[in-house]
């Protein structure tokens, strides 16, 4: 289970300070498929990065499967079973796709195992096994390879930040099937940040984050009518 209590985060620039997360309280049960949605700038990605340890909150706590991870590093959280896929994945010149997948899995993967992960995200394995993860890859290719690496890691909590970004329609359809398969066949908790209704409707629960706070949560039919409605951001409502 993921438990978040009173999570706040503020940034400062030449224009002053801005609160990105405003005392978020949130619990996500083990094995759930959750989509976090809401307006741009509402705090969704910052919340996900705080869970992974990429940003450090000003206050509050994060507990994962009974362990307080608030002060732990990204590496320590990864060892506990938390994985994060960036909206804009990094490139690694000189590192091949097969090497990345093996690093993610924590063991040397066979060609067949690498092929299986790449096929799940809609990539023709013969074209990608020996490719470097560099500027020769498009944004969409890079995104799919990163998602394949998350699958190879087989974490108990998988966080995907807008996995649909830069993905063509065929691959998007393949990805939604992959998420459904992970949810059905494993006990992993899946948290996806997305604006796509098709992904939102896959979820066990949808959480609307706006103005740095959780404003609504429930099933897709409960939450979707409130997206884009500024009145809905005033109070938390739970189905």
């Amino acid at each position: 289970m993921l438990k978040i209590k009173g999570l706040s985060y503020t940034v400062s620039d030449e224009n002053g300070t801005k609160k990105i997360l405003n005392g978020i309280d949130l619990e996500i049960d083990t094995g759930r498929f959750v989509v976090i949605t809401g307006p741009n700038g509402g705090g969704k990605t910052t919340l996900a990065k705080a869970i992974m340890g990429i940003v450090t909150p000003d206050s509050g706590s994060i507990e994962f499967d009974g362990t307080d991870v608030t002060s732990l590093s990204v590496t320590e959280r990864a060892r506990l079973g938390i994985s994060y896929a960036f909206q804009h994945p990094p490139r690694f010149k000189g590192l091949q796709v097969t090497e990345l997948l093996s690093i993610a899995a924590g063991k040397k993967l066979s060609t067949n195992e690498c092929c299986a992960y790449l096929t799940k995200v809609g990539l023709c394995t013969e074209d990608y096994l020996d490719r470097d993860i560099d500027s020769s890859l498009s944004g969409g290719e890079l995104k799919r390879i990163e998602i394949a690496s998350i699958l190879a890691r087989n974490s108990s909590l998988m966080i995907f930040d807008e996995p649909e970004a830069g993905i063509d329609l065929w691959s998007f359809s393949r990805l939604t099937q992959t998420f459904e398969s992970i949810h059905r066949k494993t006990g992993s908790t899946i948290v996806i940040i997305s604006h796509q209704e098709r992904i939102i409707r896959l979820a066990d629960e949808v959480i609307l984050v706006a103005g740095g706070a959780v404003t609504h949560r429930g099933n897709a039919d409960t939450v979707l009518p409130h997206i884009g409605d500024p009145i809905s951001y005033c109070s938390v409502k739970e189905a």
Side-chain angles (χ1 to χ4, degrees):
M1 175 181 282
L2 179 68
K3 294 184 179 180
I4 298 171
K5 295 182 180 179
L7 206 67
S8 295
Y9 180 71
T10 304
V11 295
S12 301
D13 58 23
E14 64 274 9
N15 297 317
T17 60
K18 181 180 179 181
K19 181 153 283 191
I20 307 299
L21 301 179
N22 191 15
I24 285 184
D25 294 322
L26 181 63
E27 292 189 6
I28 298 176
D29 290 334
T30 300
R32 298 283 281 176
F33 187 149
V34 174
V35 171
I36 298 176
T37 192
N40 291 329
K44 305 182 301 299
T45 291
T46 301
L47 174 60
K49 287 182 175 180
I51 295 169
M52 189 67 244
I54 298 169
V55 301
T56 303
D58 304 323
S59 60
S61 64
I62 303 170
E63 183 180 302
F64 177 62
D65 285 349
T67 300
D68 188 337
V69 301
T70 312
S71 60
L72 298 186
S73 68
V74 172
T75 300
E76 290 170 321
R77 297 184 202 208
R79 288 172 180 159
L80 289 174
I82 303 175
S83 293
Y84 180 89
F86 288 87
Q87 182 178 349
H88 302 291
R91 300 177 187 271
F92 303 98
K93 185 177 180 180
L95 182 69
Q96 292 185 336
V97 171
T98 51
E99 293 172 325
L100 176 66
L101 294 176
S102 292
I103 291 170
K107 62 179 181 179
K108 176 67 174 178
L109 295 179
S110 68
T111 297
N112 287 340
E113 287 173 319
C114 290
C115 286
Y117 288 121
L118 293 174
T119 299
K120 286 180 180 180
V121 295
L123 292 177
C124 179
T125 54
E126 292 183 0
D127 296 336
Y128 290 93
L129 286 175
D130 298 324
R131 292 278 298 274
D132 281 356
I133 305 169
D134 57 18
S135 58
S136 68
L137 294 170
S138 70
E141 290 171 326
L142 195 63
K143 173 63 72 71
R144 282 180 276 174
I145 290 168
E146 183 187 43
I147 293 172
S149 73
I150 297 296
L151 300 181
R153 187 161 185 81
N154 194 30
S155 299
S156 51
L157 171 58
M158 303 179 185
I159 304 170
F160 300 91
D161 191 354
E162 296 194 28
E164 70 272 16
I167 300 291
D168 59 82
L169 289 176
W170 185 87
S171 296
F172 175 70
S173 177
R174 193 62 174 266
L175 283 176
T176 58
Q177 294 171 14
T178 298
F179 291 137
E180 287 182 297
S181 177
I182 297 170
H183 185 222
R184 185 173 63 252
K185 296 180 180 180
T186 75
S188 297
T189 304
I190 302 173
V191 176
I192 300 179
I193 297 171
S194 180
H195 298 281
Q196 280 284 342
E197 183 174 348
R198 185 169 175 182
I199 292 179
I200 289 171
R201 289 197 174 277
L202 294 176
D204 297 322
E205 184 175 29
V206 181
I207 297 172
L208 180 58
V209 173
V214 175
T215 61
H216 290 78
R217 63 185 302 177
N219 60 33
D221 289 332
T222 299
V223 175
L224 280 171
H226 299 287
I227 295 175
D229 177 4
I231 296 175
S232 72
Y233 303 153
C234 298
S235 61
V236 177
K237 300 179 182 179
E238 188 165 339

